[in-house]
Amino acid sequence: MKKYWLCIEPSVFIWKDNDRILLYNSYNYEKMLQARHSSIDNLIDALIEPSNFFSVLFSDADTKCEEFKEFVEKIVGNRMGHILPFEKNDGKPITIPPHYVFPQEIKRLKEKKIELYDGNMLDNLQSVTMQITGECSLSCSSCDLFHKQINHCSKLKDELPLEAIKAIVFKLSLTNIRKINIIGGDIFRHTDFSKVIDVLDDIAPVKIFHSHFKFVNKCTTQLLLRDDSNILLKILVEPLDIWLEDICLLLDELHEFNNRLIWAFALTSEDSLKNFEHLVNRYKISNYEYHVLFNGHNMDFIIERCFLNEDEIWQSELGMKDVFANQILNKIFFGKLMIYANGLIYDDQNEPPIGTIHDNMEKMLYGLMWNEGAWLRIRRNVPCRGCVNRFLCPPPSRLESLLRRNTICNIITNTD
Amino acid sequence: MPNIQIKKELIEKYFKRVNHLVIETSEICNLSCLYCGQGKNYVKTDSHKKKKHMDWHTVKPLLDYYISLWHSGTIGLKRFFMLSFYGGEPLLNFELIDNVHQYIERNKPADFLVYYSITTNGMLLDRYIEYFVHHNYTIAVSLDGDKISNSFRVDKSGTESFDTLYHILINIKERYPDFFDRKVSFQSVLNSRSNLIDVYAFFKEMFNKEPLLLEMSKSRLSLKSDIYAMYRGIDEDLEISWKTRKEECVKFSLKNLDTSYLDFYIKTYTPHFILRYPDFFQEFDNVTIKLPTATCLPFSDRVFLTVGGLILPCEKVGCVSPLGYVINGEIDIDFQKIVDFYNEIFNKYQKLCETCIRTMSCTNCFYDINYLAKKNICPDYVPNSQKDKYIQRALEILRRTPEIFKKIINSID
């Protein structure tokens, strides 16, 4: 009886749930879904076993089973593996399967009861968002929800005193952060706003001021941007019909600053989506971003625009390291902190604060990592746990956090 | 690949954030170990030394500098600080140890933790042990093993130190058994009169401990150096031990060379190894960039202050290129000069390291390589042309012992 090796390519991930098997090739992003069948279960288990090095022996007899034969042919046809004839004197084919090796992963250290993280916690910090004031004259109905989904202004009675801002900026200057977002309320209402700009002027990270479009004009833009290319202005716009004319006027007025502006559109309805598309096309805006946001009463729009179907998940093109990232950390939250005008610090604005501006930052980050907070939040809960797609899915988002949902996908998964 | 340009701000940041200060308490010693780094086998490098002991005026400015930072609440600071006393033999200048200790305890913020440690040959330990027990010091004792293994460690008259030290250690173990268990460790230099198994067996049997094994330094060797006659390499000895005394290797859980090799292979040839969390973010390129050699960036791990007031990146690099000074009560560090020096050397080695297949698993510090080969030739350089040989060896190990891979990913995955 002839024997063969079935060898899987080293870039292929194999995941299974109760009903299905997914092979994902992180080299060319090809996916192959297979219904589970008793005749291939042993083969899959053998392939998943790390010490088999992605090579499993099968014989002519195995291929008499149609399901087995089809599955092997499908693997080869999809270029996720190949077949080699078994030769007694040849060694076993060896392929290193895609398992990450990360000795300093907090989860591993905890399992081993090692309390020492051999790295500097502060090296993990990427960007900080600082709400310098919560004061604002507008009465937007949704800012309280928007700021829990993106860096967005929100109302609060407090203001971060200049001295506190100085202290924060001095501390941040000793870290590796690349970006500081400055948000309000209305940032221009800060008692010492021009001094705040001076303080920020001295440090290297990119500074992005965020302002509702209602507070922006040519004069304020000039004041903010100065000649420092390290400063950008992000203009927050909800393109509602009632504001469309004002937005158009502003786009005309700020034309000369275009390369230093980021237009951030908050989309809450199909109408706002249409207006957004119209504005971008008409004014040929290139520096823009858009966010589909929950405003408390647009759940249908959110489901339509944010929730994912399996084919949408499968459009993701993740390299091996991206898949490892989804197995280890949350790329949306990781490295980001939010400091509010009342001095509280959050890793996720939808959860309790992790500290205050008076706390030792190193200690705070240590606690955040050790307790596996938002930075390390991955798809480990029901219903994602056990789903074949969970590491191809985007990481758990702020929207999920706000809605207290563990998923925003439409797949009905059969998981444990 | 662009030139390496480490920025001075980064080094300045490291100097402020560092949480380990090593103080050369005394440059003299009550022993004359034959392989000692300050003995005749090595070129002397600290031309600034005019003193034998560290004095208070040299150490105080650095203590004041860090104490003021601890009080400032600076964000980059860790929650604790390690203060180590190093020699020569630090116990020959116990007064300074006590002064530093008292000063730190009086002036540090109440909630800030400072841990103290000392590396000693142990010959005076019985005199000061009560103090160290009382203040919960960590003590690393230099002892190479049993009487024969330790026989290069002699006093000024050439008498072996083993009997005296052994008696002192047994006495401490009896008087302070809990402290001895928790806080006393051993450092052993492997030498031509010792071997791994015997050294492990000695420490296990006598003290129920595992020593930290070290090799004699091969940098700064003088022309008439006898070091090679006394030298024994850890990896070479490990290989011999696994071949000839396998059961004992298993008994003492000695490192398996196959596992080490696979570790190297995975780091070098596969995308599976992740060093730290920021590796997932391209925007962290200044952190994750692989610098040539395995040299630590200055002050990223510790600051070493010599008796002569030189500020060095660690106690192992010699004093040829001090990074700063404490002079007349002032700290004098030119961070730009430091980065210029490091950038120049890194750029010299960049080409060599780029074509070396061991670059990801390199353990060579450029201070060592420089002394060994002034033409920027690395003793461990393996060109890309030998890649296949290395891959074949890894595959052979995996075929022979497939469970090793599982062990690697299970122990860390």
Side-chain angles (χ1 to χ4, degrees):
Chain A
M1 190 181 299
K2 271 191 121 178
K3 286 183 175 176
Y4 307 89
W5 290 106
L6 171 63
C7 307
I8 302 296
E9 298 300 327
S11 51
V12 172
F13 288 85
I14 303 177
W15 297 300
K16 62 174 187 175
D17 64 17
N18 291 342
D19 305 318
R20 306 182 301 171
I21 298 152
L22 176 66
L23 276 76
Y24 171 69
N25 193 339
S26 59
Y27 177 70
N28 58 11
Y29 319 126
E30 292 286 331
K31 290 102 188 162
M32 179 185 138
L33 194 63
Q34 171 77 33
R36 286 185 66 170
H37 188 275
S38 56
S39 63
I40 55 172
D41 269 357
N42 287 345
L43 176 67
I44 286 296
D45 288 344
L47 286 173
I48 288 174
E49 167 58 40
S51 56
N52 281 332
F53 300 109
F54 263 6
S55 298
V56 173
L57 214 50
F58 70 95
S59 70
D60 283 338
D62 294 313
T63 58
K64 283 180 184 154
C65 168
E66 258 326 292
E67 284 80 7
F68 186 99
K69 191 179 166 202
E70 264 178 33
F71 180 57
V72 171
E73 282 174 353
K74 210 166 149 188
I75 287 175
V76 175
N78 280 299
R79 291 179 298 167
M80 294 196 177
H82 54 277
I83 292 169
L84 290 174
F86 171 74
E87 300 287 348
K88 248 186 184 170
N89 296 326
D90 288 354
K92 175 185 166 73
I94 299 277
T95 300
I96 307 270
H99 292 277
Y100 66 83
V101 177
F102 186 11
Q104 283 297 312
E105 187 181 12
I106 295 287
K107 190 171 74 175
R108 309 292 167 212
L109 298 181
K110 278 168 77 173
E111 278 166 12
K112 290 172 150 187
K113 297 190 169 40
I114 298 170
E115 287 191 11
L116 197 64
Y117 171 70
D118 184 24
N120 196 324
M121 283 295 167
L122 291 164
D123 286 344
N124 296 322
L125 201 55
Q126 292 182 67
S127 71
V128 165
T129 297
M130 184 163 50
Q131 186 191 38
I132 55 172
T133 177
E135 294 282 341
C136 179
S137 56
L138 296 177
S139 305
C140 308
S141 56
S142 307
C143 70
D144 193 40
L145 287 170
F146 287 179
H147 85 104
K148 293 186 170 182
Q149 299 166 74
I150 58 168
N151 283 329
H152 197 282
C153 42
S154 64
K155 271 191 163 183
L156 209 64
K157 281 182 182 159
D158 305 85
E159 173 176 294
L160 270 181
L162 182 65
E163 286 311 310
I165 293 172
K166 272 185 191 169
I168 293 167
V169 167
F170 170 70
K171 290 173 178 181
L172 293 179
S173 69
L174 292 172
T175 70
N176 293 321
I177 69 159
R178 296 303 183 88
K179 201 194 289 177
I180 299 182
N181 295 294
I182 312 297
I183 63 168
D186 170 9
I187 52 174
F188 301 103
R189 285 174 74 109
H190 190 281
T191 319
D192 297 301
F193 184 65
S194 61
K195 287 179 185 163
V196 171
I197 308 177
D198 289 341
V199 169
L200 290 163
D201 224 15
D202 291 338
I203 57 167
V206 173
K207 278 81 65 175
I208 304 179
F209 288 89
H210 297 235
S211 174
H212 192 282
F213 84 94
K214 280 282 190 186
F215 303 124
V216 178
N217 56 41
K218 198 168 178 176
C219 183
T220 52
T221 305
Q222 257 165 348
L223 168 76
L224 265 178
L225 297 180
R226 303 181 170 189
D227 290 328
D228 185 350
S229 59
N230 239 2
I231 299 178
L232 301 172
L233 171 61
K234 189 179 277 190
I235 302 173
L236 309 169
V237 181
E238 190 178 356
L240 304 176
D241 290 341
I242 45 161
W243 283 342
L244 211 50
E245 203 179 320
D246 290 347
I247 296 167
C248 289
L249 285 172
L250 188 62
L251 276 158
D252 278 329
E253 189 183 347
L254 299 184
H255 186 68
E256 64 187 281
F257 302 103
N258 263 353
N259 58 348
R260 307 268 304 279
L261 302 179
I262 303 164
W263 294 87
F265 293 94
L267 308 182
T268 51
S269 63
E270 292 298 337
D271 284 345
S272 68
L273 177 60
K274 267 184 214 153
N275 288 339
F276 153 69
E277 286 170 343
H278 165 72
L279 288 169
V280 166
N281 290 330
R282 180 176 160 192
Y283 290 91
K284 297 189 173 32
I285 307 172
S286 53
N287 295 340
Y288 69 87
E289 55 190 51
Y290 66 92
H291 305 273
V292 175
L293 298 179
F294 179 60
N295 63 7
H297 42 82
N298 61 344
M299 202 55 205
D300 289 345
F301 179 67
I302 291 292
I303 290 172
E304 174 65 25
R305 296 288 167 183
C306 289
F307 278 41
L308 296 167
N309 295 318
E310 192 157 63
D311 56 338
E312 287 167 322
I313 293 169
W314 280 19
Q315 281 169 21
S316 58
E317 296 186 341
L318 304 181
M320 191 184 289
K321 211 155 192 178
D322 299 318
V323 178
F324 289 161
N326 281 347
Q327 294 173 335
I328 292 170
L329 53 81
N330 185 312
K331 273 196 156 184
I332 294 171
F333 287 101
F334 195 91
K336 300 182 181 86
L337 286 183
M338 167 82 199
I339 302 171
Y340 273 85
N342 55 12
L344 297 177
I345 300 181
Y346 296 81
D347 59 339
D348 173 359
Q349 295 96 310
N350 300 290
E351 299 292 339
I354 58 166
T356 76
I357 54 172
H358 306 295
D359 294 336
N360 177 303
M361 181 71 79
E362 174 86 9
K363 197 172 174 180
M364 194 191 309
L365 297 188
Y366 190 86
L368 165 60
M369 297 282 277
W370 212 251
N371 298 323
E372 298 182 56
W375 287 15
L376 301 183
R377 190 183 295 154
I378 61 170
R379 298 208 174 272
R380 61 166 71 93
N381 297 320
V382 174
C384 298
R385 184 174 67 194
C387 172
V388 287
N389 296 304
R390 69 182 172 136
F391 295 127
L392 287 184
C393 254
S397 62
R398 286 196 169 90
L399 177 65
E400 285 163 76
S401 198
L402 173 68
L403 298 176
R404 299 284 162 207
R405 293 176 61 107
N406 284 334
T407 182
I408 50 164
C409 97
N410 292 319
I411 309 166
I412 300 167
T413 46
N414 183 4
T415 67
D416 56 347
Chain B
M1 199 173 166
N3 277 354
I4 289 163
Q5 286 299 335
I6 296 157
K7 292 189 174 150
K8 73 167 188 168
E9 289 78 9
L10 182 69
I11 307 305
E12 201 169 347
K13 201 182 290 176
Y14 282 152
F15 189 69
K16 284 181 178 166
R17 280 173 21 172
V18 77
N19 73 332
H20 190 182
L21 172 62
V22 184
I23 299 169
E24 189 187 34
T25 314
S26 171
E27 70 140 341
I28 54 172
C29 187
N30 45 354
L31 291 182
S32 291
C33 303
L34 302 182
Y35 56 69
C36 176
Q38 309 218 14
K40 63 169 181 145
N41 287 300
Y42 293 91
V43 176
K44 295 217 181 315
T45 53
D46 190 354
S47 57
H48 301 266
K49 280 181 184 171
K50 289 178 185 148
K51 305 172 289 184
K52 297 293 179 193
H53 292 317
M54 173 65 77
D55 64 46
W56 177 245
H57 299 294
T58 303
V59 74
K60 184 174 178 291
L62 213 49
L63 299 183
D64 286 340
Y65 177 82
Y66 286 111
I67 288 168
S68 77
L69 274 172
W70 302 340
H71 282 286
S72 74
T74 301
I75 194 175
L77 299 179
K78 294 194 176 180
R79 291 172 296 150
F80 59 91
F81 196 84
M82 314 239 306
L83 212 123
S84 302
F85 299 101
Y86 192 79
E89 172 47 45
L91 291 183
L92 292 174
N93 189 10
F94 178 76
E95 191 185 342
L96 183 106
I97 295 175
D98 186 41
N99 285 345
V100 168
H101 187 111
Q102 301 297 338
Y103 191 73
I104 295 275
E105 290 301 313
R106 263 201 318 272
N107 292 291
K108 75 176 181 67
D111 59 347
F112 194 81
L113 293 174
V114 179
Y115 298 102
Y116 300 90
S117 73
I118 182 166
T119 304
T120 172
N121 61 32
M123 301 297 280
L124 297 172
L125 206 47
D126 50 346
R127 211 179 283 179
Y128 302 109
I129 189 64
E130 261 181 58
Y131 179 92
F132 294 132
V133 172
H134 179 68
H135 293 297
N136 204 27
Y137 271 56
T138 300
I139 302 175
V141 180
S142 304
L143 173 64
D144 293 347
D146 62 12
K147 196 170 167 65
I148 297 170
S149 304
N150 196 61
S151 57
F152 286 130
R153 302 183 64 82
V154 296
D155 66 16
K156 303 287 179 193
S157 64
T159 308
E160 289 179 20
S161 61
F162 181 83
D163 289 340
T164 308
L165 179 57
Y166 184 70
H167 176 77
I168 290 170
L169 291 170
I170 292 294
N171 189 266
I172 292 171
K173 187 171 182 261
E174 280 170 7
R175 281 172 65 198
Y176 306 102
D178 177 53
F179 176 82
F180 191 89
D181 272 357
R182 286 185 302 107
K183 304 295 283 187
V184 177
S185 64
F186 292 96
Q187 296 186 351
S188 294
V189 176
L190 198 65
N191 61 66
S192 56
R193 293 177 187 167
S194 69
N195 66 73
L196 278 167
I197 301 289
D198 290 347
V199 171
Y200 268 83
F202 170 79
F203 283 103
K204 185 76 187 164
E205 191 182 330
M206 293 300 161
F207 305 116
N208 195 26
K209 285 185 188 283
E210 273 181 26
L212 171 67
L213 278 173
L214 305 168
E215 289 178 351
M216 288 170 207
S217 170
K218 287 194 208 166
S219 68
R220 299 189 293 114
L221 293 181
S222 62
L223 286 173
K224 291 180 182 170
S225 178
D226 296 327
I227 285 299
Y228 282 102
M230 293 183 273
Y231 181 85
R232 194 178 186 95
I234 293 174
D235 278 357
E236 293 88 325
D237 198 43
L238 203 54
E239 197 158 4
I240 295 167
S241 301
W242 275 98
K243 279 180 189 156
T244 57
R245 302 171 75 173
K246 193 176 172 186
E247 271 182 28
E248 289 159 294
C249 288
V250 174
K251 181 179 165 191
F252 295 123
S253 306
L254 291 191
K255 183 174 74 168
N256 182 314
L257 281 181
D258 281 353
T259 312
S260 306
Y261 188 84
L262 276 180
D263 189 45
F264 150 72
Y265 174 79
I266 285 172
K267 280 181 189 171
T268 309
Y269 293 115
T270 75
H272 301 199
F273 183 76
I274 296 151
L275 185 60
R276 14 199 238 161
Y277 287 95
D279 287 358
F280 289 110
F281 299 88
Q282 281 180 345
E283 52 271 38
F284 277 84
D285 54 355
N286 71 330
V287 177
T288 56
I289 188 169
K290 174 70 185 83
L291 294 166
T293 75
T295 316
C296 312
L297 284 176
F299 315 129
S300 59
D301 183 60
R302 64 188 63 188
V303 169
F304 179 50
L305 178 67
T306 72
V307 165
L310 309 188
I311 293 174
L312 300 168
C314 82
E315 62 277 22
K316 295 169 195 151
V317 301
C319 307
V320 168
S321 311
L323 304 183
Y325 306 89
V326 177
I327 300 175
N328 302 328
E330 301 278 338
I331 299 170
D332 177 14
I333 298 191
D334 183 340
F335 291 102
Q336 189 56 52
K337 212 167 146 190
I338 295 173
V339 294
D340 289 347
F341 170 64
Y342 271 69
N343 284 335
E344 188 190 335
I345 297 187
F346 279 144
N347 281 307
K348 265 189 196 168
Y349 276 104
Q350 191 178 16
K351 266 197 171 167
L352 193 68
C353 294
E354 268 176 10
T355 57
C356 174
I357 60 173
R358 302 189 61 172
T359 181
M360 292 307 284
S361 57
C362 176
T363 55
N364 285 322
C365 168
F366 72 55
Y367 282 96
D368 279 348
I369 310 172
N370 256 344
Y371 290 118
L372 268 181
K374 297 207 185 285
K375 292 177 186 167
N376 299 337
I377 298 168
C378 172
D380 295 325
Y381 176 71
V382 183
N384 266 325
S385 55
Q386 291 190 30
K387 190 173 171 180
D388 283 353
K389 205 175 99 187
Y390 272 73
I391 294 175
Q392 283 312 319
R393 183 175 166 195
L395 297 184
E396 270 319 304
I397 293 170
L398 290 173
R399 261 186 211 111
R400 194 164 15 96
T401 45
E403 68 280 2
I404 287 187
F405 179 66
K406 207 170 170 184
K407 203 172 159 188
I408 286 176
I409 60 168
N410 275 346
S411 60
I412 36 200
D413 182 24

